[in-house]
């Protein structure tokens, strides 16, 4: 068992003790939960061989009762998720900004547990839904647990927590028929969104390819809200948190995501598990954008508005540390399902702002754990326990684990020697930022939150051509699934506020005309206000294009962990296969041999190669790239194999890198690719010819480029 990497032996032992792992050895026998050895785990106690079962059978009843209660309520949102253990290392001390211990000591290695999730679907739903992805990190620090509960998108749909239940009711399956599962493409979602223009910016993100990541390991994470760092002197800086994946930010194609949903609905979960299992530990760097307290009002948007990001051109992201995930959970339920995150799990040196969405979250997460995990003692579940001891006067409750000694459970006390003392005495405890609040009690939406469209346009303008095209198609798809014409029209009208061409492109496909409304609607108007004073508006962003918002500019120099399918049939050329396999594996990719049947596949020279998948058990959507080795007999076989040809066509449609060696090129010829333009030239299609001796090198470059999206503009592929 790999362990969380920690800074001392003692600490590792502590973590191990907390985890209460149960491993079975040969000298252990089956027992009941009371420790009674069980002789027969096959038969109920009966009155005679063929007689009725006896109620007396406490062993059977204990087993069945436990089974009957195995399920707990799934999370109301983010129900579908998977997680891993790892550690965080700090690059540089941040004492100037925060007194948080784990952000000051570069020698300290902080254990973490990270859970990725989709938002809308149930626990058993597909990983591949078009959705926001949750990105929750629990840092087990020396000052208690710190949870950074973020998403893979830096903004949110709504500005005030009061609207969260409405948003979630709208996106979840419709209540009359419980359809559709894990999908936003239905009437209630777009009804709500079309009446909530504050969601315009987030909708751009949700319709972009960010909502269909290639892998959890290839997506960014964001704290979303503006938080505060506080240093030893009590000085505060505003801070936005970013996680930047070292493998770059990459996405799937929408058609591919839909196919994968059927072929492998656990695709993201499996990908994370396999990567860690094979020692390819995913890594992210932690970045912060820091804003001086005095600059709070210098932006054209409000720092407290969670529908806004701070363009990196205005405030650069400083990279301060790195997170590595190096251990899969031992037990999904005990760890991934029972982990309880909470934006209110803070450490000294980090604090909230008054973002009204964040403020509401501070209530919701404890409340939800009570109903989901069933007890205020959820912090005692091993995965939720801090690595530092807990001392307080809280007692009892369902499933209490801690055995508190002594007769005092109150403070102040003299009988218990006054223990436990307030941490104030050693000046290391948590203190909220000393913020001046002097105001009237009101239910209001700040007018500084009314710019609903400025950053939606910034996001759209920052996308590359193909990203814009994907975004437009996603809107066409989603709104095309909406039955109500009024809702579609209202949505198209909102799009006119973001970009006229986008609105018209979407409208055309829906059989509508894009119309700019005279008065943009806004339903988030305080009850006693004049709606005219609260109209949605568009404030032009001072940054017109932000490179960081496009995936086009991401890291594209590695093929680490990329999955490459080798399409084979008996009689392939083993030199060709082995040469490519070696080159790809040396660059960090994973090669899988596909053949007509499982077992072994024989090369032309009679060598046996073990087969990983057959054409029946796998599909191109499970891979990043495809290679067809040389070989006369195998080529003839593949040309007659409809599944192999479909494999190639589909990979081509999804703009993947495809390479073929020598005779293998003939297989491409009869596929939709057709290889006619002097056998090469099309982006991401690499074929061997006497002139092209650098097949491996070019293929590696094409895979690292992730996808040749530009191919989409050339022609439609009917795979
Ligand atoms: Fe939330 C879970 C992220 C707004 C209420 N949320 C949850 C999870 C993530 C987020 C990643 C899954 C945690 C896990 O893996 O167990 N939520 C966000 C972000 C938000 C946000 C980034 C906005 C910036 N959430 C939000 C609001 C509310 C909630 C405004 C309620 C007022 N969220 C919850 C919850 C959940 C939750 C109901 C369900 C399960 C859980 O908390 O533990 O309390």
């Amino acid at each position: 068992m790999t362990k969380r990497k920690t800074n001392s032996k003692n600490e590792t032992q502590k973590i191990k003790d907390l985890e209460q792992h149960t491993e079975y050895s040969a000298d252990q026998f089956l027992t009941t939960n009371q420790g009674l050895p069980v002789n027969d785990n096959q038969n109920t106690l009966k009155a005679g061989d063929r007689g009725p079962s006896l109620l007396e059978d406490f062993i059977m009843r204990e087993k069945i009762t436990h089974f009957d209660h195995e399920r707990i309520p799934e999370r109301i949102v983010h129900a579908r998720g998977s997680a891993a253990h790892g550690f965080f290392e700090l690059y540089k001390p941040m004492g100037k900004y925060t007194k948080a211990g784990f952000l000051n000591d570069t020698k300290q290695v902080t254990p973490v547990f990270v859970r990725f999730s989709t938002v809308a679907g149930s626990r058993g739903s597909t990983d591949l839904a078009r959705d926001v992805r949750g990105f929750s990190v629990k840092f087990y620090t020396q000052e208690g647990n710190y949870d950074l509960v973020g998403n893979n998108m830096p903004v949110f749909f709504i500005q005030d927590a009061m609207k969260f239940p409405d948003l979630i009711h709208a996106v979840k399956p419709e209540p009359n028929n419980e359809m559709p599962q894990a999908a936003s493409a239905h009437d209630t979602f777009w009804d709500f969104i079309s009446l909530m223009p504050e969601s315009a910016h987030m909708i751009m993100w949700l319709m972009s390819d960010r909502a269909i990541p290639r892998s959890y390991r290839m997506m960014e994470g964001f704290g979303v809200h503006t938080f505060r760092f506080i240093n030893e002197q009590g000085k505060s800086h505003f801070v936005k948190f970013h996680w930047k994946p070292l493998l770059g930010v990459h996405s799937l194609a929408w058609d591919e995501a839909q196919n994968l949903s059927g072929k492998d609905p656990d695709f993201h979960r499996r990908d994370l598990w396999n990567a860690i299992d094979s020692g390819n530990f995913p890594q992210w760097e932690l970045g912060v954008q820091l804003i001086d307290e005095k600059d709070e009002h210098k932006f054209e948007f409000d720092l407290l508005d969670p529908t806004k990001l701070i363009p990196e051109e205005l405030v650069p992201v400083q990279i301060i540390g790195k997170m590595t995930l190096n251990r899969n959970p031992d037990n999904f339920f005990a760890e991934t399902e029972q982990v309880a995150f909470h934006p209110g799990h803070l450490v000294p040196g980090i604090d909230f702002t008054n973002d009204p969405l964040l403020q509401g979250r501070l209530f919701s997460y404890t409340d939800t754990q009570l109903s989901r995990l069933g007890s205020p003692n959820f912090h005692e579940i091993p995965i939720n326990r801090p690595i530092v001891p807990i001392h307080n006067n809280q007692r009892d409750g369902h499933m209490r684990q801690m055995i508190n000694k002594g007769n005092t459970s109150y403070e102040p006390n003299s009988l218990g020697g006054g223990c436990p003392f307030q941490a104030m005495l050693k000046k290391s405890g948590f203190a909220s930022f000393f913020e001046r609040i002097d105001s009237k009690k009101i239910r209001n939406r700040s007018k500084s939150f009314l710019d609903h469209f400025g950053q939606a346009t910034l996001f759209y303008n920052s996308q590359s051509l193909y990203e814009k095209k994907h975004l437009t198609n996603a809107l066409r798809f989603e709104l095309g699934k909406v039955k109500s014409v009024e809702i579609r029209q209202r949505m198209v009208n909102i799009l006119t506020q973001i970009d006229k061409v986008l609105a018209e492109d979407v409208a055309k496909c829906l059989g509508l005309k894009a119309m700019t409304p005279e008065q943009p609607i806004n339903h988030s108007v305080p009850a006693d206000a004049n709606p005219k004073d609260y109209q949605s508006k568009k404030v032009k962003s001072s940054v017109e294009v932000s490179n960081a918002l496009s995936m086009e500019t991401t890291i594209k120099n590695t093929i680490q962990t990329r999955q490459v399918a080798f399409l084979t049939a008996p009689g392939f050329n083993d030199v060709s296969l082995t040469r490519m396999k070696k080159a790809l594996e040396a660059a960090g990719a994973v090669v899988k041999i596909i053949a007509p049947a499982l077992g072994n596949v024989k090369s032309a020279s009679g060598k046996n190669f073990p087969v990983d998948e057959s054409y029946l058990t796998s599909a191109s959507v499970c891979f990043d790239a495809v290679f067809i080795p040389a070989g006369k007999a195998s080529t003839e076989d593949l040309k007659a194999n409809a599944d192999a040809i479909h494999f190639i066509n589909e990979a081509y449609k999804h703009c993947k890198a495809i390479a073929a060696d020598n005779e293998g090129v003939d297989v491409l010829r009869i596929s939709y690719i057709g290889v006619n333009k002097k056998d090469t030239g099309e982006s991401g299609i690499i074929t061997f010819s006497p002139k092209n001796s650098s097949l491996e090198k070019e293929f590696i470059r094409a895979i690292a480029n992730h996808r040749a999206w530009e191919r989409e503009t050339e022609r439609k592929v009917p795979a």
Side-chain angles (χ1 to χ4, degrees):
M1 185 183 77
T2 24
K3 296 185 185 81
R4 277 184 206 140
K5 194 175 163 191
T6 52
N7 49 345
S8 76
K9 237 183 170 178
N10 201 3
E11 218 171 276
T12 312
Q13 186 53 43
K14 244 190 278 171
I15 293 167
K16 198 163 183 268
D17 293 346
L18 290 175
E19 285 175 350
Q20 297 180 345
H21 283 259
T22 308
E23 280 153 14
Y24 298 113
S25 62
D27 58 353
Q28 285 174 338
F29 295 105
L30 192 72
T31 71
T32 64
N33 284 336
Q34 301 303 320
L36 173 79
V38 174
N39 291 336
D40 182 334
N41 191 32
Q42 320 301 322
N43 302 295
T44 321
L45 190 67
K46 291 188 277 289
D49 265 358
R50 302 176 58 247
S53 303
L54 298 178
L55 185 62
E56 179 196 317
D57 189 352
F58 64 97
I59 297 177
M60 180 276 274
R61 277 190 288 114
E62 183 200 78
K63 184 174 176 182
I64 301 287
T65 305
H66 197 279
F67 168 76
D68 289 346
H69 296 263
E70 272 177 10
R71 291 288 167 273
I72 60 168
E74 64 176 32
R75 289 166 175 83
I76 173 73
V77 282
H78 296 265
R80 169 82 185 170
S82 27
H85 295 270
F87 54 92
F88 172 76
E89 295 161 297
L90 186 71
Y91 289 158
K92 54 177 181 181
M94 296 300 288
K96 187 173 165 204
Y97 303 102
T98 174
K99 61 180 179 181
F102 82 107
L103 295 178
N104 274 281
D105 182 357
T106 51
K107 291 198 192 76
Q108 213 176 91
V109 177
T110 306
V112 298
F113 188 68
V114 180
R115 183 174 179 270
F116 304 105
S117 47
T118 55
V119 177
S122 315
R123 199 181 136 181
S125 60
T126 174
D127 280 347
L128 288 310
R130 172 176 295 284
D131 201 350
V132 184
R133 297 299 185 286
F135 194 128
S136 308
V137 182
K138 192 179 281 295
F139 295 86
Y140 300 87
T141 88
Q142 296 298 326
E143 295 164 302
N145 290 351
Y146 170 57
D147 291 356
L148 184 52
V149 196
N151 282 338
N152 74 330
M153 299 177 188
V155 290
F156 204 64
F157 297 91
I158 47 171
Q159 295 172 325
D160 192 302
M162 193 72 156
K163 300 309 297 168
F164 192 68
D166 298 295
L167 166 74
I168 300 305
H169 286 172
V171 72
K172 284 270 181 185
E174 300 192 5
N176 51 346
N177 56 18
E178 183 80 355
M179 291 193 278
Q181 180 55 247
S184 51
H186 59 112
D187 282 53
T188 55
F189 178 68
W190 288 102
D191 186 23
F192 177 78
I193 294 298
S194 65
L195 297 169
M196 293 291 289
E198 69 200 50
S199 63
H201 185 192
M202 182 63 166
I203 286 304
M204 290 293 100
W205 284 84
L206 187 68
M207 294 299 109
S208 81
D209 291 345
R210 301 266 183 159
I212 38 172
R214 156 65 182 82
S215 159
Y216 289 142
R217 303 174 293 121
M218 297 172 200
M219 59 183 205
E220 288 177 294
F222 301 91
V224 181
H225 312 281
T226 305
F227 291 88
R228 282 181 189 277
F229 268 167
I230 299 161
N231 67 13
E232 273 306 342
Q233 292 71 43
K235 186 170 163 40
S236 155
H237 277 81
F238 294 106
V239 58
K240 289 264 194 197
F241 292 105
H242 297 245
W243 290 110
K244 304 240 179 211
L246 293 195
L247 294 178
V249 192
H250 303 287
S251 73
L252 300 167
W254 177 227
D255 179 70
E256 181 186 16
Q258 291 181 84
N259 286 348
L260 259 176
S261 268
K263 297 279 183 193
D264 186 5
D266 303 310
F267 184 70
H268 287 144
R269 176 174 289 188
R270 194 183 310 285
D271 166 276
L272 180 67
W273 182 278
N274 287 348
I276 294 173
D277 208 37
S278 61
N280 286 303
F281 301 144
Q283 293 187 310
W284 289 259
E285 285 187 315
L286 178 65
V288 289
Q289 285 176 298
L290 293 165
I291 300 104
D292 209 285
E293 181 86 2
K294 69 174 174 10
D295 291 336
E296 178 173 6
H297 300 292
K298 87 166 192 192
F299 303 98
E300 66 259 12
F301 50 87
D302 195 326
L303 281 183
L304 302 187
D305 174 356
T307 66
K308 303 296 181 299
L309 51 84
I310 307 178
E312 293 188 23
E313 289 73 11
L314 293 184
V315 181
V317 175
Q318 295 183 40
I319 299 298
I320 65 167
K322 187 170 71 180
M323 176 169 78
T324 305
L325 298 184
N326 67 341
R327 179 159 69 90
N328 280 315
D330 290 304
N331 184 288
F332 186 91
F333 181 84
E335 302 174 86
T336 308
E337 198 56 19
Q338 292 201 112
V339 66
F341 291 96
H342 190 335
H345 293 164
L346 286 189
V347 287
I350 305 181
D351 203 354
F352 320 117
T353 57
N354 298 329
D355 172 341
L357 191 72
L358 174 58
Q359 296 277 317
R361 293 180 75 191
L362 300 180
F363 164 73
S364 181
Y365 288 71
T366 317
D367 189 41
T368 209
Q369 308 312 347
L370 289 177
S371 98
R372 193 168 71 82
L373 299 171
S375 155
N377 290 318
F378 64 83
H379 63 281
E380 295 194 328
I381 297 172
I383 195 67
N384 293 325
R385 289 187 204 171
I387 54 169
V388 286
I390 302 171
H391 304 288
N392 62 40
N393 292 316
Q394 293 169 30
R395 292 290 184 274
D396 310 346
H398 275 292
M399 301 294 168
R400 180 69 168 181
Q401 312 267 314
M402 190 183 281
I403 301 172
N404 296 99
K405 295 186 181 166
N407 63 348
T408 53
S409 52
Y410 54 88
E411 193 273 345
N413 68 63
S414 64
L415 295 178
C419 296
F421 297 105
Q422 294 180 149
M424 206 166 73
L425 288 180
K426 55 174 199 148
K427 294 207 166 117
S428 61
F430 179 81
S432 295
F433 177 60
F434 207 53
E435 185 181 2
R436 190 189 170 98
I437 306 277
D438 179 10
S439 203
K440 288 193 181 123
K441 239 195 253 179
I442 44 171
R443 281 189 193 278
N444 204 2
R445 187 67 60 94
S446 170
K447 288 188 181 160
S448 58
F449 280 34
L450 285 178
D451 166 22
H452 295 155
F453 304 119
Q455 288 204 348
T457 303
L458 166 66
F459 180 81
Y460 184 72
N461 287 345
S462 304
Q463 303 303 295
S464 63
L465 266 185
Y466 72 80
E467 285 172 308
K468 280 185 179 164
K469 190 175 160 220
H470 292 176
L471 195 157
T472 309
N473 281 340
L475 278 163
R476 288 168 168 171
F477 174 92
E478 294 266 321
L479 296 175
K481 293 274 185 184
V482 168
K483 291 190 194 72
S484 158
V485 177
E486 294 91 83
I487 295 173
R488 288 185 196 160
Q489 184 70 59
R490 231 174 16 232
M491 224 22 251
V492 166
N493 296 354
I494 285 195
L495 296 179
T496 61
Q497 313 282 322
I498 300 169
D499 187 87
K500 291 248 157 45
V501 176
L502 170 69
E504 277 159 17
D505 280 355
V506 174
K508 216 183 298 164
C509 202
L510 299 173
L512 300 172
K513 280 214 162 74
M515 292 178 288
T516 310
E518 275 169 32
Q519 287 184 4
I521 6 163
N522 179 13
H523 278 255
S524 304
V525 181
D528 52 355
N530 181 349
K532 278 205 173 129
D533 294 340
Y534 282 86
Q535 272 175 25
S536 302
K537 58 180 182 178
K538 179 167 183 171
V539 176
K540 195 166 178 299
S541 171
S542 54
V543 175
E544 286 185 11
V545 169
S546 173
N547 277 342
L549 304 183
S550 165
M551 289 190 282
E552 179 64 19
T553 55
T554 193
I555 297 165
K556 288 182 179 170
N557 60 4
T558 170
I559 65 164
Q560 275 291 332
T561 73
R562 294 301 189 144
Q563 309 286 312
V564 186
F566 278 28
L567 303 193
T568 70
F572 61 88
N573 177 323
D574 56 50
V575 176
S576 163
L577 183 142
T578 310
R579 203 179 48 215
M580 183 60 91
K581 188 168 185 292
K582 267 196 186 148
L584 294 180
E585 286 177 346
V590 179
V591 167
K592 300 277 182 201
I593 295 185
I594 321 283
L598 296 173
N600 286 321
V601 57
K602 233 186 209 22
S603 73
S605 67
K607 278 193 201 142
N608 271 332
F609 284 70
V611 176
D612 295 296
E613 298 276 357
S614 75
Y615 290 102
L616 188 68
T617 61
S618 73
S620 81
V621 288
C622 304
F623 295 92
D624 293 290
V626 181
F627 172 63
I628 302 147
K632 264 197 184 127
S634 58
T635 296
E636 287 315 307
D637 202 333
L638 287 176
K639 278 162 66 180
N641 181 339
D643 292 331
I645 302 300
H646 179 69
F647 203 111
I648 296 166
N649 283 342
E650 202 174 42
Y652 180 61
K653 180 182 174 85
H654 299 144
C655 303
K656 295 177 181 174
I658 299 172
D661 191 7
N662 222 339
E663 297 92 347
V665 180
D666 285 349
V667 189
L668 299 191
R669 280 203 177 91
I670 68 150
S671 78
Y672 198 77
I673 304 171
V675 186
N676 43 23
K677 305 168 208 159
K678 293 190 200 129
D679 279 7
T680 54
E682 203 172 358
S683 174
I685 309 291
I686 295 110
T687 51
F688 173 85
S689 73
K691 273 193 240 144
N692 181 7
S693 56
S694 56
L695 189 67
E696 291 87 18
K697 249 199 207 149
E698 281 189 35
F699 191 36
I700 288 173
R701 207 174 307 133
I703 302 171
N705 204 29
H706 182 58
R707 297 291 165 91
W709 295 117
E710 59 275 25
R711 286 209 309 250
E712 281 178 333
T713 48
E714 286 164 24
R715 56 183 170 152
K716 285 234 181 264
V717 181

